[in-house]
Amino acid sequence: MLSLPISTERLLLRLFTPDDLDDLYAYQGLPEVARYLYRPPLTREQCAQSLTRRAASTAWADDGDDLVVAVCPVGETRIIGEVVLKLTSARARQVEIGWIFNPAYGGRGYATEAARAIAVLAFAELGVHRLFARLDVLNTGSVRVCERLGMRREAHLVENELDNERWGSEYVYATLAREWKADRTH
């Protein structure tokens, strides 16, 4: 069983509950959040369905399994964002990391703090070999998070995703378990 919840200096990372619907919808329903996810904003009903799926999905064995954790300021129950780990290859221990935060809480380092805590869990408890992130090149906040985590830019995919009428380009950032461990021992 995973060591959840996780506490950091300023945050508590925990599993979602049905009580998180209002907070989840507060950011997942925003066009400025959805624009980097190559999908329309979620409706309140879609957020409710997502919460049901998240509560039922804690398996971590097969390709496509994911772990989505809610991010709360310490001492509070409100959700300000989420971090996800998606098992893209169980055999090769390849895991995609992602984060989505309410823009009202942007610029405070919360995404970096939460992503770092989940990366530690990925390498220490889940035995991940390679952790990677895919992000829209226009998402400069997420670029900074990847760089603060010590991930290297491995690829620039040009116009590889269609978002309504806009062709989006992506960066792929990654780090290997041995690199992550070496960065933490210096």
Side-chain angles (χ1 to χ4, degrees), residues 139-160:
N139 189 346
T140 57
S142 285
V143 167
R144 286 191 300 273
V145 171
C146 289
E147 291 171 351
R148 286 184 193 120
L149 292 176
M151 301 173 91
R152 88 182 140 276
R153 187 181 301 170
E154 289 187 338
H156 180 180
L157 308 174
V158 178
E159 295 184 4
N160 67 309

Side-chain angles (χ1 to χ4, degrees), residues 115-153:
R116 184 175 286 117
I118 291 299
V120 167
L121 178 134
F123 289 119
E125 292 191 39
L126 298 174
V128 169
H129 170 70
R130 178 174 172 270
L131 186 69
F132 69 95
R134 295 174 43 218
L135 47 131
D136 189 291
V137 299
L138 300 178
N139 189 346
T140 57
S142 285
V143 167
R144 286 191 300 273
V145 171
C146 289
E147 291 171 351
R148 286 184 193 120
L149 292 176
M151 301 173 91
R152 88 182 140 276
R153 187 181 301 170

Side-chain angles (χ1 to χ4, degrees), residues 10-78:
R10 301 177 301 154
L11 302 172
L12 177 72
L13 286 68
R14 61 166 175 79
L15 295 176
F16 277 89
T17 71
D19 294 336
D20 297 325
L21 178 58
D22 290 338
D23 293 337
L24 181 66
Y25 179 61
Y27 63 89
Q28 285 280 9
L30 296 174
E32 61 266 35
V33 169
R35 74 182 254 209
Y36 295 129
L37 302 173
Y38 302 116
R39 62 156 171 78
L42 297 183
T43 65
R44 187 173 176 80
E45 294 74 27
Q46 288 171 317
C47 287
Q49 292 168 358
S50 175
L51 281 177
T52 301
R53 186 188 65 78
R54 291 170 185 198
S57 174
T58 57
W60 187 265
D62 299 318
D63 293 1
D65 286 351
D66 62 8
L67 171 68
V68 186
V69 296
V71 180
C72 309
V74 167
E76 300 183 31
T77 57
R78 69 186 155 98

